[in-house]
Amino acid sequence: MGFTKKHIFDKQQNDIATFTKMIGHPARVSIIQYISQNKDCNCNALVKAIGLAQPTISQHLGEIRKTGLLNQTVKGKSLFYSINQDKLNECRRVVNDFFVKTQVNCSK
Amino acid sequence: MGFTKKHIFDKQQNDIATFTKMIGHPARVSIIQYISQNKDCNCNALVKAIGLAQPTISQHLGEIRKTGLLNQTVKGKSLFYSINQDKLNECRRVVNDFFVKTQVNCSK
DNA sequence: ATTTTTTATTGTAATATTGCAATATCACGT
DNA sequence: ACGTGATATTGCAATATTACAATAAAAAAT
């Protein structure tokens, strides 16, 4: 196989998995951290800061973008990225909810 | 390639990625939820509840176990799983820390 | 118009992940 | 000892992911 049988799980479970999977690579963790720390961060800056090739960074940016976590602004030649704080909040809430519920259930 | 260049990232970034990657599959989300909700949960119960083949569930259990999130107790023929609450707490703290720091940085 | 800069896309290779059938293992009951 | 039940392991096929070189595209500068 190789593909995930998403249809046998509910939306909440798939949402939790989608968000955590998006974070589940150190390059993407690093990209999100860097963007949050640097206003006017473009792809080139990430390439220099992280040390992966430009297409690789671009690919990871695409993965993060798919979840809606990134805002983009064109300024001259550059494309500046920033964190979509609403989506970050949603992501945090979804993941935290999972932890809280799991912990509560454990303590019953 | 296909492999992750972990060495170019720091321990914290790799830890965040390792934990979130472990959660980043709906079957593993489902397994963790089910174990937390059912005392004396064994592999067979998960196979019936989730609807993936036994080797597949066993493989996912292995992935979760690698991070230390599972306790095991042998009782008769069965192997009962439960959540290691200390590790769950650590996992929650690591991931939440990532969200908090990212949010704080965004708001500067 | 040409060059430069920036980023995305395409193509490709290597590796990892997902899923299952078949099998092995190990403990219990007979 | 033998069969049964529970779980892990092995082997395999299909797909996904990671990484990068080469190329395309689009905007700004010369």
Side-chain angles (χ1 to χ4, degrees), chain B residues 24-67:
Chain B
H25 190 292
R28 291 193 287 271
V29 169
S30 183
I31 287 171
I32 293 169
Q33 288 175 334
Y34 192 89
I35 292 177
S36 77
Q37 286 162 5
N38 297 275
K39 306 255 173 225
D40 297 341
C41 164
N42 62 4
C43 180
N44 237 354
L46 290 164
V47 170
K48 280 174 197 159
I50 294 177
L52 289 170
Q54 180 269 322
T56 307
I57 296 290
S58 192
Q59 202 173 356
H60 282 300
L61 280 169
E63 289 300 311
I64 304 172
R65 203 165 34 207
K66 274 202 304 191
T67 67

Side-chain angles (χ1 to χ4, degrees), chain B residues 57-86:
Chain B
I57 296 290
S58 192
Q59 202 173 356
H60 282 300
L61 280 169
E63 289 300 311
I64 304 172
R65 203 165 34 207
K66 274 202 304 191
T67 67
L69 197 70
L70 294 181
N71 298 320
Q72 307 184 359
T73 335
V74 179
K75 240 183 248 180
K77 277 177 286 193
S78 276
L79 181 51
F80 289 105
Y81 289 100
S82 64
I83 303 290
N84 180 330
Q85 297 201 41
D86 285 347

